[in-house]
Structures are given as structure tokens and as C-alpha cells.
Amino acid sequence: MPGEASVPSVPSPRTPRPSGPCVLLKHGEIFLRGRNRHLFIERLHDNLRRALRGVGGSTWIKSGQSVTVLGGEVPLDVLVERARRVIGFNSVEPALRVPSTVTDLTEAAVEALAGARAERPGISFAVRVKRRDKTFEMTSSQFERFLGARVQEALGPVPVNLSSPDVRVSVEIDRTESYLSWIRHQGPGGLPVGSGGRALVLLSGGYDSPVAAYRAMRRGLGCDFVHFTGAPYTNAASVYKAYALARELNRYQPGGRLHVIALGHAQKQLAIAGAGRLQVVAQRRLMVRAASALAGRTRAEALVTGDSLGQVASQTLANMAAVDEAAALPVLRPLVGWEKQEIIDEARSIGTAEISVLPDEDCCKLLAPSRVSLRAGLTDLRSVEKRLDLDDVVDSLLRDVQVMYPGETDGETEPGADSPDGGSAPGSPGPAVCATGPSGAVSS
């Protein structure tokens, strides 16, 4: 994650003061939702609970004004790590829960600065107060000055820097309890996953499609995945990569399924039908046809691809339009205006880059011509497709689809299963695999 910082040790409060460590989670775009805000918060908290499954201890969640408070009998750094994966929170702040009295807040602020100063001598500080309880005896600005003065009285001449302090002590005052924090981790932001519907992501093994999936999740879409392989003409390496990518992406959402479709025979049929320079665009049209049909089974309302305008020959505006014409659902392209380096940087920040760089056999390169048409005409594409029974081809593709469940299930060990080629994937638990028949029923 960007802006990684170590979680500081939280000073132990003096007994019998009823305070303790917690995590402040600041809401993102939810505050713009108006009368529907409570629905988004409910979804956000559901996702947080799922992220906390298997955490190894009891936890609690408390809702405040534009903030969620998280705590429990779990190490603070573990709670922070889980919370930073939940889309919908702008920031994740380790904090102390303190009674809303001047004495308790002052003691907590002094202890926090003393601990930070012991780790980094010579640091500057600032105090920022947000007074949600307007009956508190001082205004926010008055209490900021008061706390700053008490810190310097207790610790000596600690430098004050109001514009760019080394440590910013944030105090949020509610009626019965307040929260004091001095470390801020950036959260994913965005809207809670699932608040915007479901989508089916065409997941390859490269950098682009995993980042597109993550960006779709940040707009509230719950995502399932479909991966096309060149089987039987390619090996299972791309399936292992797709499984690993989906597993990493599922850390940001309630687990999405991975569907694997063997496209090799259909690609060969297109080549025999004389696709020539249209081969790549024709097979992408076939992919979105199959994905559209699969979306009906997964209740997806849109397809998501990692296309970036002009990045490769098949992603010109004309070719994108030709692909869209074959889709039965909207095709979303979150990265359409992104440069390649921007995509790679984002892949590194979300944890998919190290997987994407691994070697595999990409089905898109199978039977690809030396030169790809930059403006594939619909008339020529339809002429090639008429030489095939597309309905029969799509039915055949979906008849043998494999369905996998990447990642942990409810915090428990995933049920063991065979990998796509009959063996266990090296360095990972065997993906849970089942075959979906043409009616959509699942058989083991």
C-alpha cells in the first residue's frame, strides 16, 4: 500500500481511566450520499466485518458522524492492516479512546507526544481538535492552544509547526468519549464494494485488468472474474496467475469467483475461417460474447476490461467500438485514459504487480497475426463470424467453464481441490474448482 508506515506502540493509559486503543476509520465519498447514506454505511460495515473474519479475537465496530471506530481483543497493527483493505475508508488511524474530559485528554496527549519524542527526538508537533460535542467547555481553537501549552509544560521546549509538523495530534471530541490519534494511514477511499451492483471482469495475466478491477471496486462494483486461456494449445501457467491475481483482488472485496474458459479451439476456428489480420479483434469479440452470456449466470450488470486507448493495436477507438458491438452488456474501461506507467505504479500499490510480471502463455498471442488491423470493419468481422455457428461456439465455451473461489473463505482454510491441470499449483493451496454445466447448475 502507498504511504506505508509502522504502527506505533500505544501508550498504556493510567488505571482506572476507562480508555484504550482503537482504530479511527474516516469515511470517503459516503458523506455525499444524502438520505441514502445509512445504506452505504451498512454496506461498508458489512464489508469491514468480512475483512475481520479469522482475525483471531473478538472485535467491535462503532458508528459515529462520518467516522467508524474499530477495536477489540486483537493487536492494533492487525486491525489496521485489515481495515486498510476495506474500500470506502479515506484514512485509517491508530488511536486512543479517552473519556471526554480536559484532564483525560491532556494526559493522553502528553503521553502520546512523549512516546513519539522518545522514538524520534527533536520532532515538531501540532494539535488539531474537532469538537463534535458543542457542549464541551472549550472551542476547538481554544483547546488546541490549551493542549499545545500543556505538552510544552510537561515535556519542555517541543517545537511547534502548524503547517507541516512531524507529528500531528488529532483530537475528536464526542459527548461521552473522545479519540486521540497521531499516525494516519491512507485508505483506499471510494464507495463500498457492492453498493453499485456487480460486474464481470475479463482478467488476463497482465498489469492492466487487475488494476481495472480494483478501480471498478472503488466505484462500488462487486466483481467476479473470467479468464480465457489458450488451452489445449497453452499450458496452465496463465490460470495460476489469474487465480493468484483474483486472490489478491479479493482482499479488497467479499470473495469474487474466478471463471476459467478454454478458448483455444475457438481461436483456431476463427483462424481457419480466414480472420487473418482481424484475428485479435475477432477473438476479443468472441470473449465479450461469452462473458456476456456468463454474466447472466453471475447476475453481473456490466463487463470490465483493462483497455487503455491506443496502448496496443487492438485498443484503437475503432477496434474498441467493434468489440463493444458484440457485447450484450455495457463494457466499462476504467483505465481508458491511463498511461502504462500509471497502471504499473497502481499495480505495485495494490499488490498485483509482482504476480503480473510472472511468465505465462497469453491466449491473446495464440494464432495472432504479425500485423493487427487498426480499424477492424464490422462488415469484415461479421463475414468471418458467419462462417462459424457463434451460438454453438459460445455454448461450447460455457459448457466446460471451471469455477474457482480464490482466497480464504470466511477466515477459514479454503477447501482443497485439484488445480486445472490435475495437480497442485506450486507455492499455493490448490484452487477450489468445479465445472458449470450449460444450465448454470454447478457439479463437483
Side-chain angles (χ1 to χ4, degrees):
M1 295 291 293
E4 197 71 42
S6 60
V7 178
S9 57
V10 177
S12 301
R14 299 175 184 174
T15 57
R17 194 175 65 193
S19 62
C22 64
V23 182
L24 281 184
L25 307 173
K26 304 294 182 64
H27 298 173
E29 292 184 51
I30 290 177
F31 76 93
L32 298 173
R33 297 298 107 178
R35 295 179 181 177
N36 294 324
R37 186 183 307 170
H38 69 285
L39 300 176
F40 286 82
I41 292 175
E42 288 174 8
R43 174 73 69 170
L44 182 61
H45 286 179
D46 285 344
N47 293 345
L48 178 59
R49 291 186 189 97
R50 289 189 180 95
L52 293 171
R53 286 175 180 170
V55 78
S58 63
T59 59
W60 52 263
I61 297 171
K62 180 180 177 181
S63 183
Q65 184 180 355
S66 300
V67 67
T68 293
V69 187
L70 171 64
E73 299 175 356
V74 178
L76 202 63
D77 58 344
V78 176
L79 294 179
V80 168
E81 190 276 332
R82 294 295 183 100
R84 292 188 70 191
R85 293 277 185 169
V86 180
I87 291 173
F89 293 122
N90 268 5
S91 68
V92 178
E93 303 178 18
L96 277 177
R97 191 161 47 106
V98 183
S100 296
T101 69
V102 171
T103 300
D104 286 304
L105 286 167
T106 301
E107 289 180 1
V110 170
E111 288 178 14
L113 261 298
R117 195 182 186 194
E119 295 178 1
R120 292 187 292 163
I123 59 172
S124 61
F125 83 103
V127 178
R128 292 288 181 263
V129 174
K130 180 178 290 185
R131 190 184 58 146
R132 291 196 173 96
D133 175 18
K134 302 305 181 184
T135 66
F136 189 73
E137 57 194 272
M138 298 185 208
T139 66
S140 296
S141 58
Q142 287 172 342
F143 198 45
E144 287 174 355
R145 293 193 294 270
F146 177 86
L147 284 180
R150 298 294 83 77
V151 166
Q152 290 190 315
E153 285 178 7
L155 303 180
V158 184
V160 174
N161 186 334
L162 298 180
S163 58
S164 56
D166 297 315
V167 176
R168 187 184 71 174
V169 179
S170 297
V171 180
E172 302 200 12
I173 302 174
D174 281 336
R175 185 172 296 275
T176 58
E177 61 184 25
S178 299
Y179 309 98
L180 185 144
S181 62
W182 58 99
I183 288 288
R184 181 182 185 274
H185 299 279
Q186 183 177 348
L191 297 172
V193 175
S195 62
R198 294 204 66 79
L200 183 62
V201 179
L202 278 68
L203 185 68
S204 70
Y207 289 109
D208 303 348
S209 56
V211 174
Y214 175 73
R215 283 283 154 174
M217 292 175 193
R218 291 190 65 216
R219 302 318 305 155
L221 290 176
C223 293
D224 287 311
F225 311 98
V226 57
H227 175 71
F228 293 90
T229 80
Y233 306 113
T234 58
N235 61 31
S238 73
V239 180
Y240 295 149
K241 282 183 66 175
Y243 181 89
L245 289 168
R247 181 173 185 142
E248 189 65 31
L249 290 166
N250 277 345
R251 296 179 186 273
Y252 298 97
Q253 68 164 3
R257 293 165 292 181
L258 171 64
H259 302 78
V260 178
I261 296 177
L263 195 67
H265 285 312
Q267 290 177 275
K268 188 172 183 179
Q269 287 179 275
L270 286 170
I272 293 172
R277 292 182 60 187
L278 303 175
Q279 176 76 24
V280 173
V281 179
Q283 65 193 30
R284 287 180 69 84
R285 280 169 59 89
L286 183 56
M287 287 179 187
V288 300
R289 287 182 194 275
S292 296
L294 180 61
R297 302 178 182 178
T298 64
R299 298 183 180 179
E301 302 164 83
L303 306 180
V304 175
T305 77
D307 294 343
S308 173
L309 185 61
Q311 186 178 117
V312 294
S314 62
Q315 294 175 18
T316 62
L317 187 59
N319 286 348
M320 286 183 182
V323 170
D324 285 359
E325 194 271 341
L329 297 172
V331 180
L332 308 181
R333 296 181 172 90
L335 310 183
V336 68
W338 288 39
E339 296 181 2
K340 190 66 176 184
Q341 191 58 52
E342 293 176 306
I343 297 171
I344 294 174
D345 291 344
E346 178 102 331
R348 287 173 178 155
S349 73
I350 65 175
T352 59
E354 292 183 358
I355 303 169
S356 295
V357 77
L358 296 174
D360 69 338
E361 290 188 315
D362 184 359
C363 78
C364 292
K365 297 178 181 177
L366 181 66
L367 303 173
S370 57
R371 295 181 63 189
V372 177
S373 174
L374 299 178
R375 296 184 60 85
L378 285 176
T379 300
D380 294 332
L381 286 165
R382 289 169 181 158
S383 177
V384 171
E385 292 169 348
K386 282 181 181 178
R387 299 165 196 162
L388 285 70
D389 186 337
L390 285 180
D391 291 339
D392 184 62
V393 172
V394 170
D395 287 344
S396 178
L397 291 175
L398 297 188
R399 191 177 303 124
D400 298 321
V401 65
Q402 291 178 303
V403 185
M404 304 181 182
Y405 301 87
E408 294 180 348
T409 305
D410 296 347
E412 300 174 357
T413 303
E414 190 176 14
D418 292 335
S419 64
D421 65 348
S424 294
S428 67
V433 181
C434 59
T436 304
S439 66
V442 176
S443 59
S444 58

